[in-house]
Amino acid sequence: MTRHPVPGPSAERADTQQGAPTPYAGPVTAQLSEARLPEARLSEARLSEGRLFEEPLPEEPTDAELARRGASGDQEAFTLLMSRYRTMIHATCLRIVGDPDDAGDAVQETLIGVWRGLPGFRSDARFSTWLYRIAVNAALKETGRQNSRPLPVDELPERKEPVSSVADRVTDGLSVRRALALLPLDFRVAVVLRDCCGCEYSEIAGILGIPINTVKSRISRARQALADLLRPNDDPGEM
């Protein structure tokens, strides 16, 4: 039987000197090591402790769960729930009311209304729909205190050309708020719920308590009016 000699340390050094590759341990390797995902480092730590399976991360509570806890007096759950919608509530109230100060009052009324109404919220209902109904009512209440004169419904322009781009422009700044303020209130609320809040037609119908076809008609005519009001270089004072 032929025995093959085992290379010793001197032979290994010789191989290295003859051009055998050596592991790179420069700064790039260190950076890549540090760039590992935290989950990977956590897994290694757990393996070193003898735990072969990672513990699942806690799931985010649903709106319904937070609403149930809030209804029982859990203020932390209520705060978390409102943090998910506060920006959209403010945007909705601002575009309906028009005035930032009045919109702030409407937001506060909405929060109070939600807190008081949580015990009556049905967990099988969609929380956002229920919330927007409260926000719209609060905004309408504030609007009723203002001395605004919107365009009469029968004076809105009837046009046939497409106005799909208005849906993208309705979330813009001050010029859009001013244009919205000129719309009849019913049309303003419908188009804000659709193009600002992203509500489905069926949701808007439920929030406003009107048929879906009425919702679609109001939104269509509101977009047409906004398209005219927001058309660039359309100054009636210029000839």
Side-chain angles (χ1 to χ4, degrees):
M1 180 177 180
T2 304
R3 294 184 178 181
H4 300 282
V6 178
S10 59
E12 293 179 356
R13 287 194 298 269
D15 290 340
T16 301
Q17 295 172 356
Q18 292 175 3
T22 57
Y24 178 74
V28 175
T29 302
Q31 292 176 12
L32 291 174
S33 177
E34 289 298 323
R36 290 176 301 169
L37 293 175
E39 292 82 357
R41 294 196 296 269
L42 181 61
S43 299
E44 293 178 2
R46 285 174 174 167
L47 285 173
S48 65
E49 296 174 4
R51 291 181 288 174
L52 298 180
F53 301 98
E54 291 189 18
E55 299 174 1
L57 296 175
E59 294 182 357
E60 283 288 321
T62 64
D63 288 351
E65 171 63 18
L66 292 176
R68 184 188 64 79
R69 288 162 50 186
S72 63
D74 189 336
Q75 294 187 7
E76 183 178 350
F78 175 77
T79 300
L80 176 58
L81 180 59
M82 289 298 95
S83 69
R84 297 177 178 179
Y85 293 95
R86 188 179 183 94
T87 299
M88 191 58 69
I89 292 173
H90 181 268
T92 302
C93 292
L94 180 59
R95 284 163 175 79
I96 293 175
V97 176
D99 181 79
D101 293 333
D102 291 340
D105 292 339
V107 171
Q108 292 303 317
E109 287 294 327
T110 300
L111 297 178
I112 294 172
V114 172
W115 175 256
R116 291 176 176 173
L118 278 177
F121 172 70
R122 295 183 296 104
S123 58
D124 59 333
R126 186 170 181 175
F127 178 79
S128 61
T129 302
W130 180 79
L131 172 63
Y132 284 134
R133 183 181 295 114
I134 296 176
V136 167
N137 288 335
L140 292 176
K141 183 178 179 181
E142 286 297 323
T143 303
R145 299 170 182 170
Q146 299 174 336
N147 295 322
S148 59
R149 293 184 179 180
L151 293 173
V153 174
D154 55 0
E155 291 184 15
L156 286 178
E158 293 286 354
R159 298 190 302 121
K160 299 301 182 181
E161 57 265 36
V163 290
S164 58
S165 62
V166 179
D168 297 328
R169 298 171 63 185
V170 77
T171 55
D172 288 343
L174 183 59
S175 60
V176 174
R177 294 211 308 268
R178 289 172 175 168
L180 284 168
L182 295 175
L183 297 180
L185 189 56
D186 290 344
F187 291 6
R188 190 191 318 166
V189 172
V191 77
V192 166
L193 286 174
R194 176 63 178 176
D195 293 334
C196 175
C197 303
C199 294
E200 299 293 336
Y201 290 114
S202 58
E203 284 186 272
I204 300 173
I207 292 171
L208 302 180
I210 58 178
I212 291 182
N213 287 339
T214 303
V215 170
K216 293 180 178 179
S217 175
R218 290 182 181 181
I219 292 173
S220 175
R221 298 187 68 188
R223 286 174 176 170
Q224 291 172 3
L226 286 173
D228 286 342
L229 292 168
L230 296 173
R231 183 179 293 118
N233 301 323
D234 189 19
D235 187 352
E238 295 182 358
M239 297 298 294

